[in-house]
Amino acid sequence: MAQDLFTQHCRQEAETAALARKLAMSIDYLLQENPGAHLNISLVGDLGAGKTTFARHLIQGMGYQGRVKSPTYTLCEPYPLETSAGNSTAHHFDLYRMRDPLEWQEAGFSEHFDAPGFCLVEWPEKAEGTLPPFDLEIHLTAGEDENTREIKLHALSSLGLATLERLPSSY
Ligand code: ADP
Ligand code: MG
């Protein structure tokens, strides 16, 4: 069976950036092979674990040139992408400040979960299981000191598995 889990130690932010850029390449291949596809990705980990940092490098790795800020107050920030796979959108969510699990739906964000491209969701647990299923879960741990930082990519669907299989083996 194909490997559904990929683990890497990321002691420096540069290593986190490199892994996020590898994932960007893999998503780009996947979108080329499946035009119009949507990938749903969760970012799980404590405050300061590096979720926003990972999202920033991933979105910039897809060619986005502007600033990627934390969507803490807006809940969602859209980033238009123009890649070899065509036009798509990265929607970056941070649900930490939601007061109700369905606030994301009331804000009209449902349609983002099947738009061509991908969604990246920080604090998905705040939605209490009301979000569409995830294809990939990214688990980040900061650990007690910098040397124990770890990032796990866990495939939860066939699309997620295809993404992991396409991860470039070298930078
Ligand atoms: P979160 O979104 O999970 O709350 P952030 O990405 O906002 O976390 O913050 C992580 C902080 O840790 C950033 O200031 C980042 O520069 C720093 N950092 C240090 N080492 C790393 C690493 N190896 N990977 C990711 N971030 C790191
Ligand atoms: Mg964050």
Side-chain angles (χ1 to χ4, degrees):
M1 199 187 109
Q3 203 46 267
D4 67 350
L5 185 67
F6 177 91
T7 306
Q8 189 174 308
H9 289 279
C10 295
R11 291 176 185 86
Q12 319 255 318
E13 191 177 321
E15 290 177 66
T16 300
L19 180 59
R21 279 166 196 274
K22 274 171 73 172
L23 183 60
M25 289 171 75
S26 168
I27 293 175
D28 194 33
Y29 293 143
L30 195 87
L31 294 177
Q32 279 180 46
E33 290 167 10
N34 304 275
H38 175 89
L39 203 63
N40 223 6
I41 306 173
S42 64
L43 288 162
V44 178
D46 292 338
L47 271 178
K51 302 180 293 297
T52 301
T53 304
F54 191 93
R56 176 178 301 128
H57 290 295
L58 175 54
I59 292 164
Q60 288 174 343
M62 297 293 297
Y64 183 76
Q65 307 270 340
R67 227 181 119 222
V68 175
K69 48 188 188 293
S70 180
T72 315
Y73 295 97
T74 51
L75 293 187
C76 176
E77 286 292 333
Y79 297 96
L81 306 173
E82 290 170 39
T83 67
S84 39
N87 292 347
S88 61
T89 311
H91 287 99
H92 180 198
F93 292 82
D94 181 341
L95 303 183
Y96 190 72
R97 287 178 188 272
M98 280 204 312
R99 287 195 205 99
D100 179 285
L102 284 174
E103 202 177 318
W104 66 274
Q105 259 180 29
E106 285 147 20
F109 295 149
S110 301
E111 64 190 33
H112 300 336
F113 287 90
D114 53 20
F118 58 97
C119 281
L120 284 168
V121 187
E122 297 186 42
W123 298 102
E125 50 274 54
K126 298 279 177 184
E128 294 180 3
T130 62
L131 294 167
F134 286 100
D135 300 295
L136 207 60
E137 178 181 290
I138 305 181
H139 209 278
L140 303 96
T141 20
E144 307 238 312
D145 61 76
E146 289 297 302
N147 295 335
T148 55
R149 274 185 191 264
E150 190 180 69
I151 299 182
K152 283 188 179 154
L153 309 182
H154 193 183
L156 303 172
S157 72
S158 52
L159 209 57
L161 205 55
T163 313
L164 286 197
E165 283 167 1
R166 281 157 188 71
L167 271 185
S169 50
S170 59
Y171 298 145

